[in-house]
Amino acid sequence: MHESQIAAFLDSAAKAAKIIKETVEEDGLIHVFSHLDADGVAAAGIIGRALTRLDARFRVRITQWIEEKILEVLADKPDLIVFSDLGSGYVNLLKEKLGEFKIVILDHHQIRGETTDSFVHVNPHLHGIDGARDISGAGVAYFAARAIDRMNVDLAPMAVVGALGDLQDKYDQRMLGGLNEKIVEDGVKAGLLNVEKDLVFFGRETRPIHRTLASTTHPFIPGISGEEDKSLAFLANLDIKTRTDDKWRALRDLSDDEKKRLCSALADYLLSRGLRLEVANLIGYVYVLSREEPWTPLRDAREFGVLLNAAGRMDRSSLGVAVCMGDRGSAFEEVSKVLEEYRRSINKYLGWVMEKPERMRELENIYVVYGEDYIDDKIVGAISSILSSGLPNPEKPLIAFANVVEQGIAKISARTVDAVVARGVNLGDIMQASAEQCGGKGGGHNVAAGAQVPLDRIDEFIGVVNELVGKQLKG
Ligand code: C5P
Ligand code: ZN
């Protein structure tokens, strides 16, 4: 990432800011469309907050993908349409359907098609910056918001949440790098964010420590991952108390000394099993939203991300957007309940997949999860992410699909690991090509992508994906 690339990117964000401000000055109506996942919800929150501060007239909609049906709701003739965390993959569709509108795209997905002058297209890929790991949709929205008004630097933590929600912590020790690192610096300077190196288990603010240990898959600790009683015994052995009188202790409650003991015991444990590489994954960067209440999922940026994912995937995205815009009252209370429901559904779906071997099949080059009518199409992406991190053969990408019967389509989510991308696999390209061959649409990132295809062509689609992955692996 060169300074000149960054400058060109920031310049395009400033163009977006200008057109947004001009529209508000003319009292124009702004429609915001954002993506349904954590990053998209965070992006919507950032734009929503910036527009509120401008006293703008606007409306936010969260959607899983851009489809012709959505474009029809534009009958109330907005003066400007802003797409965040989506749009770049649909440039031709937007040109064709929305040619007469002013459009701003704030996205980080791979670009398909050529934009016209009536579009302001802000996307890191246009400037040779990696949109899969160096900046998220919320990050792009953040740079536009910051260009609207410097005051919006206080939204930096939301962009960090978006990036972590999109699993962009791909640098050494799970650090955010690239443009994400600049956003982290803004957040730290504003006194809103602390960056710590710590045990990097998920749930540090909210989960009882033994459950945190038992539920970790990254690092995977055989004999402890998935086994709560074993992790209770492990902690007891180290003389680390799991409870105070009135409540369970979370990772955040451990003293430095306790953490050190835990870390070195886990390292010894992993080494004794020959898992030298996993030891490096014990410690990593943790991003703390220092002004948020302790013991809430808002304080740890990774947990915040999961909360937003839950809101989006459980059809309650407006609650997520409200929390991102600052609501810590009723919206936060509601969304906490939604998070519980989300966890329950994920566990239910994972259990269902594991119940019968035909629900997850291994083909020559990929794994396929047959969610069909059982898995919710909005949650299939999360299921795909979770399953792909613990595959018997991690060299094979995984696709999971669910039926959206009323629309006659299957929703597919594809995931793989960086090592496979390094060998030349680009799931975004594969999803696009396979979907188009089967009368659908697809796209995304190299490691995580998705598609929609007509239900009756799903088997054909799976065959094409299997074949294309094989081709890319062979170079
Ligand atoms: O839906 P899912 O989480 O599987 O999507 C993975 C990524 O691929 C997301 O970032 C999503 O926006 C993108 N995607 C896309 N075009 C599609 C489907 C998904 O760009 N048709
Ligand atoms: Zn995103």
Side-chain angles (χ1 to χ4, degrees):
M1 219 174 51
H2 287 288
E3 285 304 320
S4 62
Q5 293 173 308
I6 299 176
F9 169 79
L10 292 178
D11 204 46
S12 70
K15 284 204 186 89
K18 182 161 172 276
I19 184 167
I20 290 170
K21 277 199 288 194
E22 280 168 5
T23 307
V24 176
E25 272 154 25
E26 289 156 14
D27 197 32
L29 174 66
I30 302 179
H31 263 307
V32 181
F33 287 96
S34 197
H35 190 215
L36 179 98
D37 66 1
D39 184 29
V41 172
I46 289 169
I47 299 297
R49 188 84 181 105
L51 291 176
T52 305
R53 281 178 166 158
L54 288 176
D55 210 8
R57 292 197 297 128
F58 71 99
R59 192 165 300 162
V60 178
R61 270 202 190 80
I62 303 289
T63 172
Q64 179 142 240
W65 55 72
I66 298 176
E67 50 185 317
E68 273 137 59
K69 204 176 80 213
I70 292 176
L71 304 181
E72 284 157 19
V73 302
L74 295 169
D76 48 348
K77 298 271 175 230
D79 300 284
L80 175 68
I81 310 170
V82 177
F83 292 97
S84 57
D85 196 35
L86 45 76
S88 295
Y90 298 82
V91 169
N92 290 336
L93 180 70
L94 297 181
K95 256 196 316 211
E96 182 193 323
K97 298 282 171 184
L98 301 175
E100 79 272 27
F101 288 94
K102 273 196 284 179
I103 291 184
V104 169
I105 300 174
L106 308 171
D107 195 4
H108 69 134
H109 288 96
Q110 289 173 14
I111 298 164
R112 314 276 170 202
E114 295 263 338
T115 43
T116 57
D117 289 345
S118 63
F119 285 39
V120 176
H121 194 179
V122 189
N123 186 311
H125 293 289
L126 288 170
H127 310 285
I129 299 171
D130 184 354
R133 50 151 64 185
D134 285 348
I135 184 165
S136 70
V140 178
Y142 168 75
F143 283 112
R146 198 183 72 171
I148 290 173
D149 187 336
R150 200 64 209 180
M151 182 201 253
N152 292 324
V153 287
D154 66 353
L155 302 173
M158 291 322 314
V160 170
V161 168
L164 291 170
D166 252 12
L167 310 180
Q168 297 200 321
D169 49 349
K170 294 285 173 61
Y171 284 78
D172 204 26
Q173 299 202 294
R174 302 192 62 188
M175 195 180 91
L176 289 171
L179 286 168
N180 282 323
E181 203 176 350
K182 308 251 172 233
I183 302 173
V184 169
E185 282 166 20
D186 279 0
V188 171
K189 257 190 240 146
L192 301 169
L193 201 62
N194 287 340
V195 184
E196 297 168 17
K197 258 194 183 179
D198 200 353
L199 285 162
V200 77
F201 299 129
F202 184 81
R204 69 199 310 267
E205 290 289 336
T206 58
R207 264 188 208 181
I209 169 78
H210 64 286
R211 231 167 258 163
T212 291
L213 263 191
S215 60
T216 182
T217 51
H218 188 106
F220 187 81
I221 313 174
I224 289 184
S225 293
E227 307 200 40
E228 254 179 49
D229 47 340
K230 298 261 172 60
S231 72
L232 271 173
F234 192 82
L235 291 162
N237 238 334
L238 294 171
D239 205 17
I240 294 174
K241 294 205 165 37
T242 47
R243 288 193 70 100
T244 55
D245 292 341
D246 57 339
K247 67 180 201 174
W248 294 103
R249 297 173 81 206
L251 192 56
R252 73 171 328 273
D253 299 314
L254 267 52
S255 69
D256 285 345
D257 181 57
E258 285 175 314
K259 276 187 197 163
K260 258 188 218 137
R261 276 194 339 256
L262 177 57
C263 186
S264 65
L266 286 170
D268 289 346
Y269 181 91
L270 288 168
L271 284 174
S272 72
R273 279 157 185 77
L275 298 165
R276 208 162 47 85
L277 287 177
E278 288 290 5
V279 175
N281 291 328
L282 288 171
I283 298 285
Y285 284 82
V286 175
Y287 298 88
V288 180
L289 280 70
S290 50
R291 301 270 179 91
E292 301 292 348
E293 286 291 327
W295 295 289
T296 68
L298 304 180
R299 192 151 161 115
D300 173 39
R302 290 189 178 89
E303 287 196 65
F304 201 146
V306 171
L307 182 88
L308 296 185
N309 236 325
R313 308 274 177 197
M314 301 292 284
D315 270 332
R316 307 298 297 278
S317 47
S318 57
L319 293 177
V321 177
V323 170
C324 293
M325 288 175 66
D327 188 319
R328 294 292 177 269
S330 58
F332 174 57
E333 212 170 284
E334 277 281 297
V335 86
S336 305
K337 287 182 214 149
V338 173
L339 178 62
E340 286 311 311
E341 270 172 59
Y342 176 68
R343 290 221 166 97
R344 277 196 296 273
S345 356
I346 289 202
N347 285 335
K348 183 182 83 178
Y349 292 142
L350 290 175
W352 179 85
V353 173
M354 295 309 169
E355 220 169 65
K356 294 206 174 133
E358 70 264 26
R359 291 178 184 161
M360 179 161 140
R361 301 180 206 166
E362 183 172 359
L363 309 187
E364 194 188 347
N365 303 308
I366 56 172
Y367 288 95
V368 183
V369 174
Y370 289 74
E372 302 189 332
D373 292 338
Y374 190 76
I375 298 181
D376 184 320
D377 64 283
K378 294 203 184 66
I379 300 186
V380 76
I383 297 298
S384 189
S385 295
I386 295 169
L387 289 174
S388 73
S389 69
L391 292 171
N393 181 355
E395 297 281 289
K396 290 187 184 183
L398 176 139
I399 68 174
F401 75 93
N403 299 345
V404 193
V405 179
E406 47 311 342
Q407 293 182 41
I409 57 169
K411 157 80 185 95
I412 301 105
S413 280
R415 301 286 186 274
T416 191
V417 292
D418 287 338
V420 174
V421 170
R423 290 180 57 197
V425 171
N426 184 326
L427 292 179
D429 290 345
I430 290 180
M431 285 296 110
Q432 189 208 12
S434 321
E436 275 170 15
Q437 195 171 326
C438 301
K441 285 197 187 76
H445 308 291
N446 49 20
V447 281
Q452 305 85 246
V453 297
L455 265 182
D456 55 355
R457 298 184 72 177
I458 183 71
D459 290 325
E460 178 189 353
F461 175 83
I462 292 168
V464 178
V465 174
N466 187 36
E467 189 184 316
L468 289 183
V469 171
K471 271 196 191 146
Q472 288 194 339
L473 281 172
K474 286 197 197 89

